[in-house]
Amino acid sequence: MFKVTSAAAEQVRKAAQQGGTEGMALRLAAQQLPDGSIDYRMGFDDPSEEDIRFTCEGVDVVMTPEQVPLLDQAVMDFVEIEPGTFQFIFMNPKDAHYSPPEDASASSE
């Protein structure tokens, strides 16, 4: 199942409010590139009858059934990449370049 973190959900809600797209679902799409990495797309859209629909952290998410194999088990987060620079990131074990985040609790023991 695809997951949205609370930080990402908060930013999605802010973007919808600022863009006048409140009430629309967040549409996700992914494409596997030749090197095995995955390119992600997202935007606000009205769901179609064929879409897979679910709610995560209060955000309505839609994707086509063809997207499920690439997006299943992925997590979308909103993080500070550099001081003052925030962006959405996707953590996906199906991406050839994915490396899981280090467990902060393991390094403090």
Side-chain angles (χ1 to χ4, degrees):
M1 170 69 67
F2 183 86
K3 293 182 183 166
V4 177
T5 66
S6 58
E10 181 179 335
Q11 187 61 30
V12 167
R13 285 189 288 274
K14 284 181 185 176
Q17 184 177 32
Q18 292 170 353
T21 54
E22 289 175 289
M24 296 180 85
L26 179 67
R27 178 170 298 281
L28 298 172
Q31 177 182 7
Q32 192 139 37
L33 302 175
D35 69 353
S37 64
I38 300 174
D39 182 43
Y40 301 93
R41 309 277 173 167
M42 62 182 182
F44 295 103
D45 197 9
D46 290 318
S48 72
E49 297 222 359
E50 301 83 36
D51 284 331
I52 304 298
R53 306 174 197 195
F54 58 95
T55 301
C56 188
E57 292 289 329
V59 173
D60 292 327
V61 179
V62 296
M63 65 182 76
T64 64
E66 296 80 23
Q67 301 300 311
V68 173
L70 281 178
L71 292 170
D72 183 43
Q73 300 178 27
V75 176
M76 183 176 86
D77 201 357
F78 188 72
V79 299
E80 188 170 21
I81 300 296
E82 295 177 2
T85 304
F86 291 84
Q87 72 181 45
F88 287 102
I89 63 167
F90 291 84
M91 296 173 284
N92 188 341
K94 296 177 182 176
D95 188 315
H97 299 280
Y98 171 74
S99 73
E102 291 184 23
D103 185 357
S105 63
S107 61
S108 64
E109 292 180 11

